[in-house]
Amino acid sequence: MTNRKNFIKTTTLASAAILLSAFKSKADKIDPKKITGKPIVISTWDFGLQANEAAWQVLKDNGRALDSVEAGVKITEADPTNQSVGYGGRPDRDGRVTLDACIMDEFFNIGSVACLEHIMHPISVARLVMEKTPHVMLVGDGALQFALNNGFMKENLLTDESQREWKDWLTESQYNPVINIENHDTIGMLAMDASGNLSGACTTSGLAYKMHGRVGDSPIIGAGLYVDNEIGAATATGIGEEVIRIVGSHLVVELMRQGKSPQKACEEAVLRIVKLINLRKKDLKDYQVGFLALNIKGETGAYSIQKGFNYAKYNADGNKLFDAESFVK
Ligand code: ASP
Protein backbone atom coordinates (compact mmCIF):
# COMPACT_ATOMS: atom_id res chain seq x y z
CA MET A 1 0.00 0.00 0.00
CA THR A 2 2.77 2.40 0.99
CA ASN A 3 4.50 1.56 -2.26
CA ARG A 4 1.33 2.25 -4.17
CA LYS A 5 0.93 5.55 -2.33
CA ASN A 6 4.50 6.48 -3.12
CA PHE A 7 3.96 5.47 -6.71
CA ILE A 8 0.87 7.66 -7.00
CA LYS A 9 2.69 10.52 -5.29
CA THR A 10 5.71 10.19 -7.58
CA THR A 11 3.66 9.89 -10.76
CA THR A 12 1.49 12.84 -9.76
CA LEU A 13 4.60 14.92 -9.14
CA ALA A 14 6.10 13.73 -12.44
CA SER A 15 2.92 14.61 -14.35
CA ALA A 16 2.91 18.05 -12.75
CA ALA A 17 6.54 18.50 -13.80
CA ILE A 18 5.72 17.45 -17.38
CA LEU A 19 2.77 19.83 -17.46
CA LEU A 20 4.93 22.63 -16.11
CA SER A 21 7.67 22.00 -18.65
CA ALA A 22 5.12 21.87 -21.47
CA PHE A 23 3.78 25.17 -20.24
CA LYS A 24 7.28 26.57 -19.95
CA SER A 25 8.29 25.52 -23.47
CA LYS A 26 5.12 27.15 -24.80
CA ALA A 27 5.96 30.30 -22.88
CA ASP A 28 9.53 30.14 -24.23
CA LYS A 29 8.35 29.83 -27.80
CA ILE A 30 9.20 32.87 -29.81
CA ASP A 31 6.25 35.05 -30.61
CA PRO A 32 6.38 35.40 -34.41
CA LYS A 33 5.32 39.04 -34.10
CA LYS A 34 8.53 39.75 -32.19
CA ILE A 35 10.89 38.35 -34.81
CA THR A 36 12.53 41.37 -36.37
CA GLY A 37 14.51 39.59 -39.08
CA LYS A 38 11.56 38.54 -41.23
CA PRO A 39 10.77 38.15 -43.99
CA ILE A 40 14.04 36.66 -45.14
CA VAL A 41 15.20 34.31 -47.85
CA ILE A 42 18.62 32.72 -48.24
CA SER A 43 19.94 30.46 -50.96
CA THR A 44 23.10 28.68 -51.98
CA TRP A 45 25.69 30.03 -54.40
CA ASP A 46 25.79 33.26 -56.39
CA PHE A 47 22.89 32.24 -58.64
CA GLY A 48 20.87 32.46 -55.43
CA LEU A 49 20.83 36.24 -55.92
CA GLN A 50 18.57 35.95 -58.95
CA ALA A 51 16.43 33.26 -57.34
CA ASN A 52 16.04 35.40 -54.20
CA GLU A 53 14.59 38.22 -56.29
CA ALA A 54 11.66 36.03 -57.33
CA ALA A 55 11.25 34.67 -53.81
CA TRP A 56 11.21 38.19 -52.41
CA GLN A 57 8.36 39.23 -54.71
CA VAL A 58 6.23 36.70 -52.83
CA LEU A 59 7.58 37.51 -49.36
CA LYS A 60 7.26 41.29 -49.63
CA ASP A 61 3.55 40.96 -50.38
CA ASN A 62 3.04 38.86 -47.24
CA GLY A 63 3.02 35.67 -49.31
CA ARG A 64 3.72 32.26 -47.93
CA ALA A 65 7.32 31.03 -47.51
CA LEU A 66 6.36 27.88 -49.41
CA ASP A 67 5.28 29.86 -52.47
CA SER A 68 8.40 32.02 -52.25
CA VAL A 69 10.87 29.13 -52.27
CA GLU A 70 9.10 27.44 -55.17
CA ALA A 71 9.03 30.68 -57.19
CA GLY A 72 12.66 31.35 -56.31
CA VAL A 73 14.26 28.07 -57.34
CA LYS A 74 12.16 27.91 -60.52
CA ILE A 75 14.28 30.79 -61.83
CA THR A 76 17.43 28.68 -61.48
CA GLU A 77 15.75 25.58 -62.89
CA ALA A 78 14.76 27.44 -66.07
CA ASP A 79 18.15 29.07 -66.62
CA PRO A 80 20.00 27.24 -69.43
CA THR A 81 23.30 28.89 -68.48
CA ASN A 82 23.21 27.24 -65.09
CA GLN A 83 24.70 23.81 -65.71
CA SER A 84 23.99 22.29 -62.34
CA VAL A 85 20.24 22.77 -61.94
CA GLY A 86 17.27 21.97 -64.19
CA TYR A 87 17.30 22.96 -67.87
CA GLY A 88 20.88 23.03 -69.15
CA GLY A 89 22.09 20.84 -66.29
CA ARG A 90 25.01 18.54 -67.03
CA PRO A 91 23.82 15.04 -67.87
CA ASP A 92 24.73 11.70 -66.37
CA ARG A 93 27.41 9.62 -68.07
CA ASP A 94 24.80 8.31 -70.54
CA GLY A 95 23.96 11.84 -71.63
CA ARG A 96 20.65 11.98 -69.77
CA VAL A 97 19.68 14.98 -67.67
CA THR A 98 18.14 13.55 -64.51
CA LEU A 99 16.82 15.90 -61.87
CA ASP A 100 16.36 15.69 -58.10
CA ALA A 101 14.24 18.07 -56.02
CA CYS A 102 12.35 18.36 -52.77
CA ILE A 103 10.23 20.83 -50.86
CA MET A 104 9.08 21.13 -47.24
CA ASP A 105 6.68 23.49 -45.51
CA GLU A 106 5.91 24.69 -41.99
CA PHE A 107 3.56 21.77 -41.30
CA PHE A 108 6.16 19.05 -42.02
CA ASN A 109 4.50 18.44 -45.38
CA ILE A 110 7.12 17.01 -47.71
CA GLY A 111 7.35 16.16 -51.38
CA SER A 112 10.17 14.96 -53.54
CA VAL A 113 11.15 13.65 -56.96
CA ALA A 114 14.33 11.88 -57.95
CA CYS A 115 15.92 10.93 -61.25
CA LEU A 116 13.18 12.82 -63.09
CA GLU A 117 13.82 13.46 -66.80
CA HIS A 118 12.35 15.93 -69.33
CA ILE A 119 10.58 18.23 -66.88
CA MET A 120 11.75 21.81 -66.56
CA HIS A 121 10.47 22.35 -63.02
CA PRO A 122 11.04 19.33 -60.80
CA ILE A 123 10.40 21.50 -57.74
CA SER A 124 6.79 22.01 -58.84
CA VAL A 125 6.38 18.28 -59.39
CA ALA A 126 7.77 17.72 -55.87
CA ARG A 127 5.21 20.18 -54.54
CA LEU A 128 2.46 18.33 -56.36
CA VAL A 129 3.63 15.02 -54.89
CA MET A 130 3.34 16.73 -51.50
CA GLU A 131 -0.09 18.22 -52.10
CA LYS A 132 -1.85 15.73 -54.37
CA THR A 133 -0.63 12.27 -53.38
CA PRO A 134 -0.55 10.20 -50.22
CA HIS A 135 3.19 9.67 -50.85
CA VAL A 136 6.28 11.78 -50.28
CA MET A 137 8.61 10.70 -53.06
CA LEU A 138 8.32 9.61 -56.69
CA VAL A 139 11.24 8.54 -58.84
CA GLY A 140 12.19 8.00 -62.47
CA ASP A 141 9.45 6.99 -64.89
CA GLY A 142 6.80 7.08 -62.18
CA ALA A 143 7.66 10.68 -61.41
CA LEU A 144 7.63 11.53 -65.12
CA GLN A 145 4.25 9.87 -65.65
CA PHE A 146 2.84 11.73 -62.67
CA ALA A 147 4.18 15.03 -64.03
CA LEU A 148 2.78 14.43 -67.52
CA ASN A 149 -0.59 13.38 -66.10
CA ASN A 150 -0.69 16.67 -64.25
CA GLY A 151 -0.09 18.91 -67.22
CA PHE A 152 3.69 19.29 -67.19
CA MET A 153 5.28 19.35 -70.64
CA LYS A 154 7.90 16.91 -71.83
CA GLU A 155 10.98 18.87 -72.89
CA ASN A 156 14.54 18.33 -73.97
CA LEU A 157 16.67 19.63 -71.10
CA LEU A 158 20.07 18.87 -72.63
CA THR A 159 21.42 22.09 -74.12
CA ASP A 160 24.02 22.12 -76.91
CA GLU A 161 26.61 23.43 -74.49
CA SER A 162 26.07 20.66 -71.93
CA GLN A 163 25.95 18.05 -74.69
CA ARG A 164 29.25 19.25 -76.16
CA GLU A 165 30.95 19.18 -72.75
CA TRP A 166 29.60 15.71 -72.06
CA LYS A 167 30.97 14.43 -75.39
CA ASP A 168 34.38 15.93 -74.57
CA TRP A 169 34.22 14.30 -71.18
CA LEU A 170 33.40 10.93 -72.76
CA THR A 171 36.58 10.94 -74.85
CA GLU A 172 38.78 11.13 -71.76
CA SER A 173 36.70 9.56 -69.06
CA GLN A 174 36.47 6.02 -70.29
CA TYR A 175 32.92 6.23 -68.99
CA ASN A 176 33.94 6.29 -65.34
CA PRO A 177 31.56 8.13 -63.04
CA VAL A 178 33.45 10.91 -61.29
CA ILE A 179 33.27 12.81 -58.07
CA ASN A 180 34.43 16.26 -58.96
CA ILE A 181 34.13 19.17 -56.61
CA GLU A 182 33.81 21.72 -59.40
CA ASN A 183 31.15 20.47 -61.76
CA HIS A 184 27.98 20.51 -59.72
CA ASP A 185 26.07 22.92 -57.44
CA THR A 186 22.57 22.78 -56.11
CA ILE A 187 20.18 25.55 -55.28
CA GLY A 188 18.91 25.14 -51.75
CA MET A 189 16.62 27.92 -50.57
CA LEU A 190 15.19 28.66 -47.11
CA ALA A 191 12.63 31.34 -46.35
CA MET A 192 10.75 32.80 -43.43
CA ASP A 193 7.65 34.77 -44.33
CA ALA A 194 6.07 37.75 -42.61
CA SER A 195 4.03 35.40 -40.42
CA GLY A 196 7.22 33.79 -39.16
CA ASN A 197 6.66 30.51 -41.00
CA LEU A 198 9.50 28.60 -42.62
CA SER A 199 9.77 26.58 -45.82
CA GLY A 200 12.57 25.24 -47.97
CA ALA A 201 13.27 23.94 -51.46
CA CYS A 202 16.21 22.15 -52.99
CA THR A 203 16.74 21.29 -56.67
CA THR A 204 19.62 20.04 -58.79
CA SER A 205 20.79 18.05 -61.78
CA GLY A 206 23.18 16.40 -59.36
CA LEU A 207 26.74 15.37 -59.94
CA ALA A 208 27.77 15.74 -63.56
CA TYR A 209 28.44 12.45 -65.35
CA LYS A 210 27.08 10.42 -62.45
CA MET A 211 25.95 6.84 -63.05
CA HIS A 212 22.47 6.67 -64.53
CA GLY A 213 20.00 6.28 -61.65
CA ARG A 214 22.28 7.90 -59.09
CA VAL A 215 20.35 9.97 -56.57
CA GLY A 216 22.08 12.54 -54.40
CA ASP A 217 21.11 14.23 -51.16
CA SER A 218 19.03 16.99 -52.73
CA PRO A 219 15.68 15.14 -53.00
CA ILE A 220 16.13 13.38 -49.67
CA ILE A 221 14.28 15.08 -46.87
CA GLY A 222 16.66 15.32 -43.92
CA ALA A 223 19.75 15.14 -46.13
CA GLY A 224 19.48 17.96 -48.68
CA LEU A 225 16.77 19.87 -46.84
CA TYR A 226 14.96 19.99 -43.53
CA VAL A 227 12.50 22.42 -41.98
CA ASP A 228 11.17 22.52 -38.44
CA ASN A 229 8.95 25.52 -37.97
CA GLU A 230 9.73 25.77 -34.24
CA ILE A 231 13.50 25.60 -34.69
CA GLY A 232 14.81 26.50 -38.12
CA ALA A 233 15.72 25.11 -41.51
CA ALA A 234 18.81 23.86 -43.29
CA THR A 235 19.91 22.86 -46.76
CA ALA A 236 23.02 21.38 -48.30
CA THR A 237 25.12 21.47 -51.43
CA GLY A 238 28.16 19.52 -52.54
CA ILE A 239 28.85 15.83 -52.74
CA GLY A 240 25.52 14.31 -51.86
CA GLU A 241 26.92 10.97 -50.78
CA GLU A 242 28.66 12.68 -47.85
CA VAL A 243 25.57 14.67 -46.90
CA ILE A 244 23.38 11.56 -46.90
CA ARG A 245 25.94 9.73 -44.75
CA ILE A 246 25.26 12.11 -41.84
CA VAL A 247 21.67 13.07 -42.77
CA GLY A 248 23.12 16.54 -42.89
CA SER A 249 20.26 19.04 -42.96
CA HIS A 250 18.36 17.22 -40.25
CA LEU A 251 21.52 17.19 -38.17
CA VAL A 252 21.92 20.95 -38.56
CA VAL A 253 18.32 21.52 -37.44
CA GLU A 254 18.78 19.18 -34.46
CA LEU A 255 21.95 21.01 -33.46
CA MET A 256 19.99 24.27 -33.53
CA ARG A 257 17.35 22.58 -31.37
CA GLN A 258 20.10 21.91 -28.85
CA GLY A 259 20.77 25.64 -28.72
CA LYS A 260 23.51 26.05 -31.33
CA SER A 261 23.42 29.11 -33.57
CA PRO A 262 22.88 28.38 -37.29
CA GLN A 263 26.57 29.13 -37.85
CA LYS A 264 27.79 26.72 -35.15
CA ALA A 265 25.33 24.06 -36.31
CA CYS A 266 26.64 24.24 -39.90
CA GLU A 267 30.23 24.09 -38.62
CA GLU A 268 29.56 21.03 -36.51
CA ALA A 269 27.88 19.20 -39.40
CA VAL A 270 30.85 19.94 -41.67
CA LEU A 271 33.26 18.75 -38.95
CA ARG A 272 31.34 15.49 -38.75
CA ILE A 273 31.72 14.97 -42.51
CA VAL A 274 35.43 15.80 -42.34
CA LYS A 275 35.83 13.28 -39.53
CA LEU A 276 34.16 10.55 -41.60
CA ILE A 277 36.25 11.37 -44.68
CA ASN A 278 39.38 10.98 -42.54
CA LEU A 279 38.04 7.82 -40.94
CA ARG A 280 37.57 6.30 -44.39
CA LYS A 281 41.07 7.45 -45.31
CA LYS A 282 39.89 9.53 -48.25
CA ASP A 283 41.60 12.68 -49.43
CA LEU A 284 39.79 15.73 -48.09
CA LYS A 285 40.78 17.83 -51.10
CA ASP A 286 38.43 15.74 -53.28
CA TYR A 287 35.40 16.73 -51.23
CA GLN A 288 33.24 19.80 -51.01
CA VAL A 289 30.06 20.12 -48.96
CA GLY A 290 28.37 23.31 -47.80
CA PHE A 291 25.52 23.82 -45.35
CA LEU A 292 23.23 26.80 -45.09
CA ALA A 293 20.87 27.38 -42.15
CA LEU A 294 18.25 29.79 -40.90
CA ASN A 295 16.72 29.77 -37.43
CA ILE A 296 13.36 30.98 -36.26
CA LYS A 297 14.90 34.24 -35.03
CA GLY A 298 15.98 35.03 -38.59
CA GLU A 299 19.68 34.35 -37.87
CA THR A 300 21.66 32.60 -40.60
CA GLY A 301 24.76 30.44 -40.86
CA ALA A 302 26.87 28.86 -43.59
CA TYR A 303 29.97 26.69 -43.62
CA SER A 304 31.76 24.43 -46.08
CA ILE A 305 34.69 22.06 -46.27
CA GLN A 306 36.58 23.92 -49.00
CA LYS A 307 36.79 27.61 -49.73
CA GLY A 308 34.52 29.01 -52.41
CA PHE A 309 31.03 28.37 -51.04
CA ASN A 310 28.83 31.44 -51.02
CA TYR A 311 25.19 32.24 -50.46
CA ALA A 312 22.69 34.99 -51.14
CA LYS A 313 20.59 36.62 -48.44
CA TYR A 314 17.60 38.86 -49.10
CA ASN A 315 15.98 40.70 -46.18
CA ALA A 316 15.06 44.27 -45.30
CA ASP A 317 18.72 45.23 -45.99
CA GLY A 318 18.49 44.09 -49.60
CA ASN A 319 19.82 41.16 -51.61
CA LYS A 320 23.48 40.43 -50.94
CA LEU A 321 26.06 37.74 -51.58
CA PHE A 322 28.22 36.44 -48.72
CA ASP A 323 31.25 34.18 -48.67
CA ALA A 324 30.91 31.29 -46.27
CA GLU A 325 33.69 30.39 -43.85
CA SER A 326 35.32 27.06 -44.58
CA PHE A 327 37.13 24.26 -42.77
CA VAL A 328 40.07 24.36 -45.19
CA LYS A 329 41.33 27.95 -45.04
N1 ASP B 1 24.31 17.85 -53.70
C1 ASP B 1 24.16 17.61 -55.10
C2 ASP B 1 24.24 16.14 -55.37
O1 ASP B 1 25.00 15.45 -54.75
C3 ASP B 1 25.14 18.31 -55.97
C4 ASP B 1 25.66 19.64 -55.50
O2 ASP B 1 25.09 20.32 -54.69
O3 ASP B 1 26.68 20.08 -55.96
O4 ASP B 1 23.56 15.69 -56.26
Side-chain angles (χ1 to χ4, degrees), residues 184-186 206-207 214 216-218 237-240:
H184 51 89
D185 287 338
T186 294
L207 293 186
R214 179 264 187 189
D217 59 314
S218 309
T237 180
I239 295 175

Side-chain angles (χ1 to χ4, degrees), residues 45 84 100 180-181 183-187 202-208 210 214-219 224 236-241 243-244 288:
W45 304 109
S84 52
D100 294 341
N180 178 326
I181 69 168
N183 61 10
H184 51 89
D185 287 338
T186 294
I187 182 145
C202 187
T203 175
T204 190
S205 51
L207 293 186
K210 59 196 174 185
R214 179 264 187 189
V215 172
D217 59 314
S218 309
T237 180
I239 295 175
E241 284 74 2
V243 179
I244 294 172
Q288 172 64 314

